[in-house]
Amino acid sequence: MVASKALSIDVARVRKAVKSKLGVEPEKVKKLSATPHSQSFDIQSSKGRFVFTAVSKQSNGKLARQSWCYSALSKSKVPVPKVVAVDTKKKIMPHEFMITSFEPGEYLCDVFPSKPVMRKELGRSVGQVFAKVHKVDVKGFGLLNEKGVGQKKVWDAVAFEQFDADIAYIKRNKLLKPEEIQAISDMVEKRKAWLECKKPVLINSSLELENVLAIGNDVSSVLGFGQAKGGDPAREFGRLYSSFYFNRERPFVEAVRVSYETTLGKRLDMKRVWLYCLMDRVKSFREDIEIDNTEPALAKKYHRTYLERVMRQVAAYG
């Protein structure tokens, strides 16, 4: 499958939209990033520096969700951008857009390669911040609406939906042997009770190094939350372990966990974390093949090895 083309928005439209909300003409407009569903710009003006983000029609309420999250998190003393304006009417430009404060700092994905000695200290700061994030209570499970309410009444309706779709894709495209697929499915099915969750909290759903800014050893801002959900905090750690535990970032992951547990005064249930980790590895396998299928044999070998290692971790808990 060929990757979708990135969203491209005319700078003249951006200038017009910014002026309508800030009341001043931007002095500089610089493209920051673009995905198939969003594009961001660095805005410099006489009123300060901002980030302008526009989204496609397929964004599914991303900006309204993000705006609610930033407001709720700010009240909980979590460092997040300040929302300056949100426009969902599409009268100024044919896209919904949001303007937020520009937050200083380095992305952790840029810090780690050049400053590996900082991983543990940064991990401690990330753990403290996400302990605060998970103290934000929400109503309902699943993707949040503009009022911070999840659309599902039970966590089961959310927790396994993606996994079921991913395992079906892997089976349909014969990416693993039938017995391997069955072993993964059975492992999750027999342990579904592990993931019971009755009280939803705010989870980012995109805890990535690209979404965390730091100054020195401290987190200066947390970004993202466009796909925020009401759900189980252990799922966030499943994603974290899936991405980093089996590579050189393990000291960072362990520092995040210990700091998180210390801040909250309670331990994570690691059997839940590893089961979520397994489901996330299945998701990563599908995405790698579906989006970038340039070396399928190599991808299959890599993901098969990774899945086997995570399955051993899950099996160790019974």
Side-chain angles (χ1 to χ4, degrees):
M1 179 177 177
V2 179
S4 301
K5 186 178 180 181
L7 184 65
S8 181
I9 298 172
D10 184 63
V11 172
R13 290 185 181 273
V14 175
R15 288 182 171 276
K16 180 180 178 182
V18 170
K19 185 177 180 180
S20 72
K21 297 299 180 180
L22 298 184
V24 296
E25 187 76 31
E27 296 170 355
K28 292 183 179 180
V29 177
K30 179 183 177 182
K31 293 180 181 180
L32 287 176
S33 62
T35 72
H37 300 302
S38 68
Q39 186 172 16
S40 296
F41 297 82
D42 179 357
I43 306 296
Q44 296 184 42
S45 74
S46 59
K47 288 191 174 181
R49 194 172 179 183
F50 306 91
V51 173
F52 177 96
T53 302
V55 297
S56 69
K57 295 178 181 178
Q58 291 76 34
S59 65
N60 193 23
K62 173 182 177 180
L63 297 186
R65 185 179 308 113
Q66 205 168 19
S67 178
W68 181 90
C69 288
Y70 283 167
S71 176
L73 290 165
S74 179
K75 293 174 184 177
S76 296
K77 308 299 181 184
V78 176
V80 290
K82 179 182 178 182
V83 178
V84 177
V86 180
D87 193 302
T88 59
K89 297 179 180 179
K90 294 188 282 191
K91 291 183 178 180
I92 301 171
M93 65 187 305
H95 299 279
E96 296 182 4
F97 67 86
M98 179 167 68
I99 301 174
T100 60
S101 58
F102 184 95
E103 297 301 314
E106 292 182 89
Y107 291 100
L108 292 196
C109 57
D110 296 328
V111 173
F112 281 10
S114 60
K115 303 172 184 176
V117 295
M118 296 174 63
R119 288 173 183 153
K120 285 188 177 181
E121 289 299 323
L122 284 167
R124 293 187 185 102
S125 184
V126 170
Q128 291 167 357
V129 168
F130 271 85
K132 293 181 181 179
V133 172
H134 293 162
K135 286 183 178 179
V136 177
D137 293 325
V138 296
K139 295 179 180 179
F141 295 96
L143 203 63
L144 301 179
N145 64 16
E146 72 281 0
K147 296 181 179 179
V149 178
Q151 304 306 293
K152 304 290 185 180
K153 293 183 178 180
V154 293
W155 179 233
D156 279 7
V158 182
F160 304 102
E161 184 176 24
Q162 183 67 53
F163 172 76
D164 292 342
D166 293 333
I167 208 74
Y169 177 91
I170 290 172
K171 184 176 182 179
R172 186 167 62 251
N173 289 278
K174 301 179 180 179
L175 301 181
L176 292 172
K177 297 176 182 177
E179 59 268 28
E180 292 174 323
I181 297 172
Q182 192 61 52
I184 295 169
S185 298
D186 288 348
M187 177 164 274
V188 173
E189 182 64 32
K190 292 175 181 178
R191 293 164 177 81
K192 280 187 173 182
W194 287 6
L195 304 186
E196 183 182 7
C197 179
K198 294 183 178 180
K199 183 181 179 182
V201 301
L202 175 61
I203 57 175
N204 192 349
S205 294
S206 54
L207 179 50
E208 304 282 359
L209 299 186
E210 293 84 355
N211 284 334
V212 181
L213 289 167
I215 297 176
N217 290 333
D218 298 315
V219 172
S220 58
S221 190
V222 183
L223 312 177
F225 296 97
Q227 297 299 317
K229 296 179 175 68
D232 182 356
R235 180 170 180 172
E236 203 113 84
F237 278 85
R239 172 68 170 166
L240 187 70
Y241 273 63
S242 170
S243 299
F244 305 116
Y245 186 80
F246 288 111
N247 58 34
R248 63 182 182 178
E249 309 303 349
R250 185 183 298 190
F252 166 73
V253 173
E254 289 297 280
V256 173
R257 178 186 61 79
V258 171
S259 176
Y260 178 89
E261 292 176 335
T262 302
T263 302
L264 287 182
K266 60 180 180 181
R267 297 179 67 85
L268 278 165
D269 185 345
M270 291 307 297
K271 68 176 183 291
R272 298 166 72 92
V273 171
W274 281 113
L275 191 56
Y276 283 125
C277 179
L278 175 59
M279 293 194 293
D280 191 78
R281 288 316 309 172
V282 172
K283 178 174 179 284
S284 296
F285 189 5
R286 171 185 178 166
E287 290 176 342
D288 276 4
I289 295 296
E290 193 173 26
I291 297 173
D292 182 9
N293 198 18
T294 53
E295 297 185 79
L298 186 61
K300 289 178 185 179
K301 182 179 179 181
Y302 167 78
H303 284 286
R304 179 179 282 111
T305 300
Y306 214 136
L307 284 165
E308 288 172 353
R309 297 173 79 177
V310 176
M311 289 175 75
R312 286 197 292 269
Q313 292 287 341
V314 174
Y317 288 91

